[in-house]
């Protein structure tokens, strides 16, 4: 009779084992991490060794319980992970396990505040949503109030929507949670058995009644918050709870006078146990317990790291590299940063955890040169074109830009899951007409350091007689274009348009003029055609908007989908433009801060927005996957 062979079953690692394994991997260099994460790991081991002196202890069962909630109950809801259990990445296990495992002497949780700063696309919102659901359902808190908070309710709704989808994907949770609002429009989740709820915070929260009494607050994109008022208001309600939690997640920012920078700076100091060093640098670890109630996980690069040329440092800002975000995707955004300098700061900030504040030129010559061509616009006579019109001051440059669709091309793109896909997108030809007052161009050439007379003699700019530009010349040019082409839309800014309108009316010019504001704060009104098309496709109609038009032009230029007729007026404008942006990464061309006259570039952006507005309304810009 044979002898039975026993199969050895490996014991499942406890939560503390998993946390320790991650911290050891970081400190040994087996896991690539930045200086502040390394300090957070050093702090963890110091607290295991010395924390008892301050009444701190690690509750393995409590951490195991929350791990079980994430990995056995929660289900992910989108992309390649849809329907799968929420298997905590080692970095997430370190964060979640630390928050729920560390206790005070009285048995309540140690950490009341947590600051998490990571690159975009590293699963911050789903992790926060899971923590919020645990606070509502699994933390044993009667009447728990859980809030998702952000600078805008729409942003808070993104985090909340992640949590809603996870509940709907989990059979165990779906039968225990009640929703307010229809599918896709939920605004509240409730667990009636415990009298608890989870909702995105509204602007009116706390303005009436007794005010919020949060158990957990999940603050999303803290770098976008104009001040700390909403967090202060919600934290005031913590006095009603035994072990509340403020869980802050964010990308890096650009405003060092912001609430986000203050939280970042403090979190860096807390991880290092160092009150004195400059938090801009890899702070020296001193291990002083300066704030036992704050958990810190701040991703950053080391001094001397160059993410634009050395991919080996990417994981320091992206702990889930290879899981939720791919190297192919980051390589693509790095290429954008190199080709469009104006995008560089935003990319460094969002993807590589670099706090930035400097301006940069918009377009590099390397990106522009391959797009320049010497084609004849007459090739497009009889075809549909779109126009952008930048009407100048009396002694400046007035420019009109023209865009014609030429066909379609396959390009490589990145989908929302970071996967490389093949897309079909439209291609375009674009060119400009420009005017400047002939009587003053010699004097202004010396002042502006721009060769207006040379450009005029070569036919690149019109210089009619006079000390100011007559809009009649511009209107007459559009009359001629209307005769030879089918003008679908003329995008204009209100500045000086009334004077142009009078000249156009005298010439009997009737074209579909559509307002396209310059700058980043105002959108134009959608036309009835846009509203009708949007209604038919179930979308909300939007008017022309400079940040949107700029993004579409940049994509076409980077993907080689637009030919630009060679003209030094346009080249000078494109090479001189400087981008301005707000904290939501909406960007526009800033005339006052640019190096030279950029009217032709502004007109081109407006024309391209008009061309794509018509394209989007008639047929989606991304027509199909290959």
């Amino acid at each position: 009779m044979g002898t039975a062979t026993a199969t050895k079953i490996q014991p499942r690692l406890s939560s503390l084992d998993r946390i320790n394994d991650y911290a050891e991997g970081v400190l040994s260099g087996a896991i690539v991490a930045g200086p502040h994460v390394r300090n957070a790991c050093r702090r963890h081991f110091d607290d295991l060794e010395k924390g008892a002196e301050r009444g701190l202890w690690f509750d393995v069962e409590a951490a195991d319980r929350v791990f079980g909630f994430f990995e056995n109950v929660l289900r992910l809801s989108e992309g390649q992970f849809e329907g799968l259990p929420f298997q905590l990445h080692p970095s997430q296990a370190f964060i979640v396990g630390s928050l729920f495992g560390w206790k005070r002497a009285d048995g309540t949780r140690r950490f009341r505040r947590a600051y998490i700063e990571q690159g975009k696309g590293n699963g911050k919102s789903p992790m926060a949503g899971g923590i919020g659901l645990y606070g509502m359902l699994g933390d044993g808190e009667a009447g728990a109030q859980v809030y998702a908070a952000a600078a805008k309710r729409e942003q808070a709704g993104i985090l909340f929507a992640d949590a809603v989808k996870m509940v709907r994907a989990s059979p165990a949770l779906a039968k225990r949670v009640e929703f307010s609002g229809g599918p896709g429009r939920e605004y509240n989740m409730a667990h009636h058995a415990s009298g608890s709820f989870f909702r995105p915070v509204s602007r009116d929260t706390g303005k009436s009644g007794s005010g919020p009494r949060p158990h957990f607050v999940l603050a999303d994109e803290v770098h976008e918050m104009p001040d700390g008022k909403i967090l202060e208001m919600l934290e005031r309600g913590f006095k009603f709870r035994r072990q509340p939690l403020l869980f802050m997640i964010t990308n890096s920012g650009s405003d060092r006078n912001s609430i986000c920078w203050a939280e970042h700076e403090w979190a860096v100091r807390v991880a290092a146990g160092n009150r004195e060093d400059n938090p801009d640098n890899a702070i020296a670890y001193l291990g002083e317990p300066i704030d036992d109630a704050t958990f810190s996980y701040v991703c950053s690069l080391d001094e001397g790291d160059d993410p634009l040329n050395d991919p080996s440092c990417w994981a320091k800002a992206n702990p889930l590299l290879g899981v939720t975000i791919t190297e192919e995707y980051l390589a693509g955004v790095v290429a954008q940063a190199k080709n469009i300098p104006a995008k560089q700061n935003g990319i460094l900030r969002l993807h590589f955890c670099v706090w930035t504040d400097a301006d940069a030129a918009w377009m590099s010559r390397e990106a522009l040169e391959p797009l320049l061509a010497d084609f004849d616009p007459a090739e497009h006579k009889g075809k549909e074109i779109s126009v952008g019109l930048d009407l100048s001051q009396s002694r400046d440059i007035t420019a009109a830009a023209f865009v014609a669709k030429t066909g379609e091309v396959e390009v490589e793109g990145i989908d929302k899951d970071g996967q490389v896909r093949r897309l079909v997108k439209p291609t375009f030809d674009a060119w400009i007409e420009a005017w400047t007052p002939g009587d003053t161009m010699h004097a202004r050439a010396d002042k502006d350091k721009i060769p207006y007379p040379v450009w005029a003699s070569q036919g690149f700019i019109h210089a009619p007689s006079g000390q100011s530009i007559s809009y009649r010349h511009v209107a007459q040019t559009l009359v001629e274009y209307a005769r030879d082409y089918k003008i679908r839309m003329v995008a204009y800014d209100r500045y000086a348009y009334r004077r142009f309108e009078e000249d156009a009316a005298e010439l009997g010019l009737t074209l579909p003029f559509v307002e396209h504001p310059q700058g980043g704060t105002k959108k134009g009104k959608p036309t009835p055609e846009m509203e009708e098309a949007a209604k038919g496709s179930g979308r909300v109609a939007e008017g022309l908007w400079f940040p949107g038009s700029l993004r579409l032009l940049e994509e076409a230029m980077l993907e080689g989908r637009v030919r630009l007729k060679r003209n030094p007026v346009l080249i000078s404008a494109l090479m001189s433009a400087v981008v301005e942006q707000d904290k939501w990464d909406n960007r526009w061309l800033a005339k006052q801060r640019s190096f030279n006259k950029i009217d032709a570039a502004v007109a081109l952006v407006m024309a391209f927005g008009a061309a794509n507005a018509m394209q989007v309304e008639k047929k989606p810009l991304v027509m199909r996957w290959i």
Side-chain angles (χ1 to χ4, degrees):
M1 194 171 173
T3 303
T5 302
T7 301
K8 186 175 181 180
I9 298 175
Q10 294 293 331
R12 182 176 177 83
L13 292 177
S14 74
S15 54
L16 184 57
D17 290 332
R18 292 168 66 181
I19 293 168
N20 288 347
D21 284 351
Y22 175 76
E24 287 172 356
V26 166
L27 296 179
S28 71
I31 297 173
V32 177
H36 311 315
V37 172
R38 296 196 299 268
N39 282 345
C41 293
R42 293 187 182 101
R43 180 194 189 196
H44 169 74
F45 284 127
D46 272 3
D47 288 342
L48 285 177
E49 181 182 351
K50 306 172 185 175
E53 300 170 6
R54 308 193 305 278
L56 303 179
W57 59 286
F58 195 91
D59 186 342
V60 177
E61 289 185 3
D64 283 346
R65 190 180 312 117
V66 74
F67 279 20
F69 179 81
F70 268 82
E71 299 181 341
N72 299 326
V73 178
L74 292 183
R75 292 291 183 274
L76 297 168
S77 60
E78 288 188 346
Q80 61 184 313
F81 304 105
E82 184 170 1
L84 297 178
F86 196 135
Q87 183 65 39
L88 290 166
H89 182 269
S91 65
Q92 295 174 323
F94 179 77
I95 294 168
V96 174
S98 295
L99 289 177
F100 290 90
W102 277 106
K103 298 290 184 67
R104 302 180 181 191
D106 63 2
T108 61
R109 274 194 302 274
R110 164 193 182 180
F111 292 118
R112 306 301 169 90
R113 306 178 96 248
Y115 180 84
I116 315 298
E117 185 175 325
Q118 296 176 330
K120 188 178 180 66
N122 281 271
K124 296 186 296 295
S125 292
M127 178 172 61
I131 287 173
L133 291 172
Y134 186 79
M136 178 177 69
L137 294 160
D139 204 33
E141 182 79 6
Q145 298 180 13
V146 178
Y147 293 96
K152 294 184 177 181
R153 187 182 179 93
E154 293 80 6
Q155 181 64 44
I158 293 173
L159 189 158
F160 177 73
D162 280 336
V164 168
K165 292 172 185 175
M166 285 192 287
V167 170
R168 292 198 181 279
S170 170
L173 297 185
K175 61 186 179 184
R176 299 173 61 194
V177 175
E178 296 290 334
F179 300 93
S180 298
R185 301 188 303 276
E186 297 91 349
Y187 58 86
N188 186 75
M189 288 188 286
H191 181 233
H192 294 303
S194 64
S196 303
F197 65 75
F198 183 174
R199 65 182 59 155
V201 75
S202 74
R203 296 174 183 174
D204 298 327
T205 298
K207 291 185 178 180
S208 61
S210 60
R213 299 184 176 188
H215 179 46
F216 285 4
V217 173
L218 315 169
D220 196 8
E221 300 296 13
V222 181
H223 75 279
E224 295 182 357
M225 291 183 174
D227 52 49
K229 290 180 180 178
I230 189 170
L231 298 183
E232 291 171 7
M233 180 270 294
L234 290 168
E235 280 195 280
R236 282 198 298 270
F238 282 178
K239 62 187 177 184
F240 299 103
R241 303 289 179 177
R242 289 186 69 240
Q243 47 182 6
L245 174 64
L246 170 61
F247 187 74
M248 295 174 280
I249 58 175
T250 190
N251 301 129
S252 302
S254 58
D255 182 359
R256 298 184 189 232
N257 295 310
S258 64
I259 182 63
C260 188
W261 176 253
E263 295 287 356
H264 164 96
E265 186 179 35
W266 183 244
V268 166
R269 293 183 186 281
V270 166
N274 186 334
R275 296 178 182 273
E276 304 301 330
D277 271 356
N278 180 354
D280 276 338
N281 301 322
I283 217 167
Y285 183 78
L286 299 183
E288 179 186 351
I290 62 179
D291 183 357
D292 274 335
T294 294
F295 177 79
S296 167
Y297 189 93
V298 181
C299 291
S300 70
L301 304 178
D302 280 286
E303 187 174 0
D305 282 341
D306 180 6
L308 300 184
N309 294 295
D310 181 10
S312 68
C313 67
W314 291 354
K316 295 179 182 179
N318 299 278
L320 269 67
L321 182 63
V323 180
T324 61
I325 190 166
T326 66
E327 290 188 0
E328 290 84 358
Y329 175 79
L330 289 181
V333 298
V334 164
Q336 288 185 29
K338 290 180 177 179
N339 285 320
I340 301 183
K343 280 196 168 188
Q344 187 170 119
N345 279 352
I347 286 169
L348 289 173
R349 184 174 62 78
L350 292 174
H351 293 289
F352 300 111
C353 294
V354 177
W355 280 74
T356 61
D357 49 21
D359 291 330
W362 173 44
M363 188 63 58
S364 71
R365 181 166 291 278
E366 290 77 11
L368 180 60
E369 283 288 352
L371 308 177
L372 300 176
D374 295 310
F375 64 88
D376 186 351
E379 297 174 13
H380 300 294
K381 280 190 176 182
K383 297 180 182 178
E384 294 180 354
I385 63 171
S386 299
V387 184
L389 194 58
D390 184 47
L391 300 167
S392 70
Q393 300 178 16
S394 60
R395 297 187 178 185
D396 219 331
I397 294 177
T398 280
F402 305 86
V403 175
K405 182 184 173 186
T406 57
E408 295 176 347
V409 66
E410 292 183 19
V411 298
E412 191 172 81
I414 305 294
D415 67 13
K416 65 181 180 180
D417 298 318
Q419 301 299 309
V420 179
R421 305 288 292 275
R422 298 294 296 176
L423 310 174
V424 174
K425 293 186 179 181
T427 58
F428 303 93
D429 275 354
W431 63 96
I432 67 157
E433 304 273 1
W435 296 262
T436 196
D439 290 2
T440 62
M441 68 176 178
H442 289 277
R444 286 183 294 109
D446 293 334
K447 178 183 176 182
D448 297 342
K449 302 296 187 287
I450 295 176
Y452 297 116
V454 175
W455 289 350
S457 67
Q458 294 174 342
F460 292 117
I461 192 169
H462 306 290
S465 300
Q467 295 194 356
S468 62
I469 295 171
S470 169
Y471 292 142
R472 190 177 184 86
H473 294 291
V474 181
Q476 182 61 49
T477 298
L478 290 184
V479 168
E480 294 168 1
Y481 268 85
R483 181 189 63 217
D484 296 334
Y485 304 85
K486 297 177 183 177
I487 298 180
R488 295 299 306 275
M489 181 185 296
V490 180
Y492 72 92
D493 182 69
R494 282 189 176 184
Y495 177 82
Y497 180 70
R498 183 64 60 86
R499 287 166 46 206
F500 169 81
E501 199 173 25
E502 294 171 358
D503 289 330
E506 288 183 10
L507 293 174
L509 180 63
T510 57
L511 291 171
F513 287 93
V514 178
E515 184 182 1
H516 189 314
Q518 297 175 12
T521 58
K522 184 180 177 184
K523 291 184 179 181
K525 294 181 180 179
T527 65
E529 292 79 11
M530 291 178 181
E531 291 178 344
E532 188 63 29
K535 181 180 178 182
S537 57
R539 299 193 306 273
V540 176
E542 293 188 347
L544 297 174
W545 187 43
F546 205 96
S549 299
L550 183 65
R551 176 180 55 80
L552 290 167
L553 175 59
E554 286 175 343
E555 287 178 357
M557 294 177 76
L558 286 175
E559 294 166 353
R561 294 188 290 108
V562 56
R563 284 198 311 172
L564 302 175
K565 179 174 172 56
R566 196 182 309 272
N567 185 319
V569 181
L570 177 60
I571 294 171
S572 173
L574 292 171
M575 296 298 298
S576 300
V578 166
V579 166
E580 193 169 358
Q581 69 181 52
D582 60 22
K583 62 179 61 182
W584 296 283
D585 294 310
N586 299 316
R587 299 175 304 112
W588 57 94
L589 302 185
K591 286 188 174 182
Q592 288 73 26
R593 288 159 56 185
S594 296
F595 310 123
N596 280 317
K597 305 300 181 183
I598 64 167
D599 309 86
V602 170
L604 179 63
V605 172
M606 296 168 70
F608 207 80
N612 279 274
M614 300 306 295
Q615 181 76 15
V616 168
E617 295 304 329
K618 296 298 181 183
K619 186 165 55 174
L621 179 62
V622 178
M623 270 82 77
R624 60 184 180 273
W625 294 107
I626 298 300

